[in-house]
Amino acid sequence: MTVDLVIERYDGTPECWDAFARQAEGYTHFHGYNWRKVLEKEFGHECLYLAARTAGGELAGVLPLVRVRSVIFGHYLVSMPFLNYGGPLGKPDAVQALVNHAQEVAVRDRVKLLELRSRRELRTTLPVSHRKITVLLDLPTEDPEPLWRGLKAKVRSQVRRPQKEGVTVRFGRDQVGPFFHVFARHMRDLGTPSLPRSFFEAVASAFPDDAWVGCAYLNDEPIAAGWGFCWQEEFEMTWASSLRSHSRIAPNMLLYWSFIERCIGRGIRVFNFGRCTPGGGTHRFKLQWGSRDVPLWWYQWGARPGASTPSPDAGAYSWGPRLWRHLPLPVTRALGPRIVRSIP
């Protein structure tokens, strides 16, 4: 039996939103209400957080939707921008109603692309893209030794090498600055604008308990860094970087293993390596840990066929990375946030 639903801007409390989202199938950390506060404060984006309610006012579904627009890149509605997951949550009828409403808004506002980055398959007629996947590693309980023994000898050797060189890993909120030092340089070397330091500081403040920041040090210099989030029994490594100047000793291998050990010690059952492009170098790096591929369900509606979010791989933007790599680091730190805020 179909229940009449009303779709409206969410006007309830953050606590009610989070309580509903956490019990819904497909929930991820990025469905949390505090992400709205971060994106509005740091980038000034309009957040159209939508709710599906029954005639009696009962919450039946939610959809965090963010408007990202610029003169250069265009106008997008994304759930969630800059992150790996989003999309509607709730009862099937509510999910369908939220998707339909989002599409109506996209048509009305003449957006270039509506993209719902769902982790699960949805009952919708919208086209789906599997251009990105995520990679998951099931973790043992309590003791990392069974996982360690199951790794290939080459992987174990690569973890030990930075240890022999004296590399150590530190965790904590005080690692935000060192993390950004590594992240900004790594992104510049890739030819990609970096999210601003203020964004990461805001995220650390908004999620003090479930945002983990870790850095690998050699002689007190941060040379690799990672940042991820815990939800339920899962941890996702959302951002990870290492300095090319130290690639010979593979500090990122020790960094990842340290995060994995920490997850096992905290009772987390799944280590999520984050999204990547199938078949790429990053994908191969993630598979070497004995992990498994899981498809992502990114549903899209575009004003024109083939519309997509901006990518340096696209011919129209391919010149950007070539130029960006040669800019001084202070210049990229100053200009990067102005550019990246418009690239969802």
Side-chain angles (χ1 to χ4, degrees):
M1 179 178 177
T2 302
V3 178
D4 290 335
L5 297 168
V6 176
I7 308 300
E8 60 187 13
R9 293 284 192 100
Y10 182 76
D11 61 358
T13 66
E15 292 77 14
C16 287
W17 174 287
D18 287 341
F20 179 88
R22 288 192 185 109
Q23 55 79 38
E25 182 183 358
Y27 166 77
T28 70
H29 188 277
F30 312 112
H31 287 93
Y33 195 85
N34 273 356
W35 280 104
R36 175 177 189 167
K37 302 175 183 178
V38 171
L39 295 177
E40 288 177 336
K41 176 185 176 183
E42 293 303 311
F43 301 120
H45 292 322
E46 180 186 4
C47 294
L48 293 75
Y49 274 43
L50 302 175
R53 294 188 183 275
T54 65
E58 180 184 356
L59 194 60
V62 295
L63 171 59
L65 192 62
V66 180
R67 192 188 304 276
V68 180
R69 70 165 111 199
S70 73
V71 174
I72 297 175
F73 299 111
H75 184 181
Y76 300 88
L77 287 173
V78 185
S79 176
M80 289 285 287
F82 317 111
L83 303 167
N84 299 336
Y85 306 121
L89 301 176
K91 299 176 181 179
D93 287 348
V95 167
Q96 183 63 64
L98 287 164
V99 172
N100 292 344
H101 183 83
Q103 186 175 353
E104 290 171 4
V105 173
V107 173
R108 181 197 69 197
D109 295 350
R110 299 180 180 179
V111 305
K112 187 174 183 179
L113 181 72
L114 164 70
E115 184 166 74
L116 305 177
R117 297 176 176 176
S118 178
R119 188 170 184 178
R120 63 191 180 110
E121 184 176 5
L122 303 179
R123 294 196 311 184
T124 175
T125 58
L126 286 183
V128 64
S129 170
H130 295 301
R131 71 182 187 275
K132 297 293 183 180
I133 59 173
T134 192
V135 182
L136 304 182
L137 175 65
D138 297 313
L139 300 178
T141 57
E142 300 181 359
D143 186 3
E145 186 61 25
L147 179 61
W148 177 257
R149 291 197 305 268
L151 296 176
K152 293 181 180 179
K154 180 181 178 181
V155 174
R156 295 198 301 267
S157 176
Q158 289 177 317
V159 172
R160 293 191 184 105
R161 181 166 189 174
Q163 290 177 317
K164 294 176 180 178
E165 297 283 345
V167 175
T168 58
V169 177
R170 307 173 194 171
F171 290 95
R173 179 139 178 214
D174 60 342
Q175 299 303 307
V176 173
F179 164 87
F180 185 75
H181 170 81
V182 176
F183 180 77
R185 182 176 293 275
H186 176 77
M187 296 300 285
R188 191 280 307 270
D189 292 344
L190 290 176
T192 304
S194 166
L195 291 160
R197 175 169 174 166
S198 62
F199 169 79
F200 293 106
E201 291 173 341
V203 170
S205 178
F207 307 105
D209 298 324
D210 41 2
W212 291 6
V213 192
C215 291
Y217 286 83
L218 179 62
N219 299 327
D220 287 329
E221 177 192 0
I223 59 175
W227 188 308
F229 300 92
C230 298
W231 70 88
Q232 296 172 338
E233 294 186 322
E234 183 170 343
F235 172 86
E236 185 204 67
M237 183 76 91
T238 308
W239 300 288
S241 305
S242 62
L243 300 184
R244 289 182 176 178
S245 57
H246 294 79
S247 59
R248 178 185 61 84
I249 61 173
N252 57 327
M253 295 297 291
L254 177 59
L255 178 78
Y256 269 83
W257 178 249
S258 298
F259 268 96
I260 289 170
E261 283 188 310
R262 195 171 198 251
C263 287
I264 295 171
R266 302 292 179 88
I268 292 172
R269 303 305 305 275
V270 176
F271 187 92
N272 184 334
F273 284 87
R275 82 182 188 212
C276 60
T277 301
T282 302
H283 184 205
R284 292 191 292 272
F285 171 86
K286 296 173 180 180
L287 286 178
Q288 69 181 330
W289 298 90
S291 49
R292 54 189 168 87
D293 291 344
V294 177
L296 295 179
W297 299 80
W298 287 12
Y299 292 92
Q300 301 175 320
W301 176 88
R304 296 181 180 179
S308 182
T309 50
S311 169
D313 298 327
Y317 306 114
S318 60
W319 58 270
R322 293 196 299 270
L323 171 64
W324 200 259
R325 293 187 189 102
H326 298 288
L327 294 178
L329 189 59
V331 174
T332 62
R333 287 186 175 180
L335 296 180
R338 303 179 188 180
I339 298 173
V340 78
R341 69 179 300 276
S342 301
I343 306 176

